[in-house]
Amino acid sequence: MAVSSRMPSQPAARGLLRRTPPRILPVERAPGRLALAVRAVSGSPGPGGSPVPRRSPAPTSAPSSASSAIDFLTLCHRLKTTKRKGWINHSIKGPESIADHMYRMALMALIAGDLPSVDRERCIKIAIVHDIAEAIVGDITPSDGIPKAEKSRREQAALDEMCEVLGGGPIADEIKGLWEEYENNSSIEANLVKDFDKVEMILQALEYEKEHGKVLDEFFLSTAGKFQTEIGKSWAAQVNARRKEGCKKQK
C-alpha cells in the first residue's frame, strides 16, 4: 500500500503547534505538605498570605575550644597533687589530695538517694567544684590564721581566673554559680553538700586513726553540732558510733 507524501493541511499544523503542556503552579501556591515545608524554610508567605518565619537551628551551648578545655584541665591537675593541709599538720604520711576529698563527696551525693525537694544532680556538681579554687590558692585551713572573708576573696579571684582559662561562656558561668551557692550556703543542696564536706572529713579522720594509730579529736570536735540536714546528722552519728566502738575494742 502506497504511503502518501502529502503534508498535513495548514490549519491542522497550527493546531499541533498550539498544543502545550499544562501550566504548573509555583511551589508556594501549590497545596499540600511540600509547599508548606518549602514556605517554612524559605520564609515565603504562609496560608492566607501571613509570613512564616524562617526556621532557625535549635540553640546549643557553645563548647569550649579544645585548647581552653585542656588548659583548664591541666590547671585542675593541681587538685590531684595538692595534699590536704589538715592531714599534713598531723603528720599523716601519704595524705589524701583535694581531688580525693571532692570525689568521695560526689559519691556521697550520688548514693544519698532521692530526698524531698533536693536536686541530687546539682549536689554532685557542687561537690565536684566546691574546692576547685584551691588549684590556685591551695588548701587554706583555720590554722593558717587567714580571716574567712579574705579566704573567700582569694578563692573568688582564683575561680575567676580559672573560668577565664576555660574561655568563659555558659559552662564557666555555671561553675561560678555552683561555687557561690556553696560558699553562701544559699540552698538546700548547698546545705547538704556542706554536711557531706564534714562527714567526709571525719570519716577520713577515723580511717587515719585506724591506719596510723593516731588520735584526731580535733576534727570530730570542730564538726560536732554543725550538721544542717537529717542525712548529714545520721551519717555523722554513724561515723562517731563506729569510732566509739573501735575505742572500746582497743581497751
Side-chain angles (χ1 to χ4, degrees), residues 92-125:
I92 299 295
K93 294 181 180 180
E96 67 170 351
S97 68
I98 297 167
D100 292 332
H101 168 64
M102 292 197 295
Y103 176 73
R104 189 153 64 172
M105 284 177 60
L107 286 179
M108 289 177 173
L110 179 63
I111 69 171
D114 295 328
L115 301 171
S117 304
V118 174
D119 184 340
R120 185 173 57 173
E121 181 179 340
R122 190 166 188 82
C123 289
I124 295 170
K125 289 181 178 182

Side-chain angles (χ1 to χ4, degrees), residues 30-75:
R33 296 180 180 176
L34 178 60
L36 292 175
V38 172
R39 282 197 296 267
V41 174
S42 65
S44 57
S50 59
V52 176
R54 186 182 299 274
R55 286 182 183 172
S56 301
T60 57
S61 57
S64 301
S65 71
S67 178
S68 296
I70 297 303
D71 286 344
F72 176 79
L73 294 172
T74 299
L75 182 54

Side-chain angles (χ1 to χ4, degrees), residues 18-250:
R18 288 174 182 170
R19 297 174 67 184
T20 58
R23 186 166 64 91
I24 300 176
L25 294 174
V27 172
E28 64 271 18
R29 294 175 59 189
R33 296 180 180 176
L34 178 60
L36 292 175
V38 172
R39 282 197 296 267
V41 174
S42 65
S44 57
S50 59
V52 176
R54 186 182 299 274
R55 286 182 183 172
S56 301
T60 57
S61 57
S64 301
S65 71
S67 178
S68 296
I70 297 303
D71 286 344
F72 176 79
L73 294 172
T74 299
L75 182 54
C76 288
H77 173 71
R78 298 178 188 175
L79 297 169
K80 297 170 65 177
T81 58
T82 303
K83 306 302 182 182
R84 298 252 287 165
K85 193 178 292 183
W87 310 126
I88 294 175
N89 292 344
H90 284 80
S91 303
I92 299 295
K93 294 181 180 180
E96 67 170 351
S97 68
I98 297 167
D100 292 332
H101 168 64
M102 292 197 295
Y103 176 73
R104 189 153 64 172
M105 284 177 60
L107 286 179
M108 289 177 173
L110 179 63
I111 69 171
D114 295 328
L115 301 171
S117 304
V118 174
D119 184 340
R120 185 173 57 173
E121 181 179 340
R122 190 166 188 82
C123 289
I124 295 170
K125 289 181 178 182
I126 293 173
I128 291 172
V129 306
H130 81 284
D131 278 343
I132 198 170
E134 292 180 12
I136 292 178
V137 301
D139 183 20
I140 300 173
T141 67
S143 63
D144 294 320
I146 296 175
K148 186 176 180 180
E150 173 60 16
K151 175 179 180 290
S152 181
R153 187 199 66 77
R154 292 184 189 183
E155 291 181 346
Q156 180 72 70
L159 182 69
D160 291 343
E161 181 180 340
M162 294 181 75
C163 288
E164 286 181 13
V165 170
L166 186 56
I171 300 299
D173 290 342
E174 181 182 18
I175 291 173
K176 286 183 180 180
L178 292 166
W179 183 87
E180 289 171 358
E181 186 175 328
Y182 178 85
E183 184 72 5
N184 297 325
N185 200 21
S186 59
S187 67
I188 184 61
E189 289 80 13
N191 298 163
L192 188 57
V193 179
K194 287 271 187 183
D195 279 3
F196 289 156
D197 182 56
K198 297 178 181 69
V199 171
E200 203 289 322
M201 184 178 70
I202 61 174
L203 178 57
Q204 187 63 74
L206 175 60
E207 291 163 348
Y208 284 152
E209 285 186 334
K210 293 178 179 179
E211 292 172 15
H212 300 280
K214 290 180 174 290
V215 177
L216 301 171
D217 285 337
E218 171 189 329
F219 299 94
F220 296 91
L221 294 173
S222 66
T223 57
K226 294 184 178 179
F227 295 93
Q228 307 172 77
T229 65
E230 290 306 313
I231 191 169
K233 293 173 184 177
S234 174
W235 288 13
Q238 180 62 213
V239 174
N240 279 289
R242 294 190 180 198
R243 186 179 187 233
K244 290 178 181 179
E245 185 65 26
C247 291
K248 289 179 182 179
K249 291 179 180 180
Q250 291 177 0

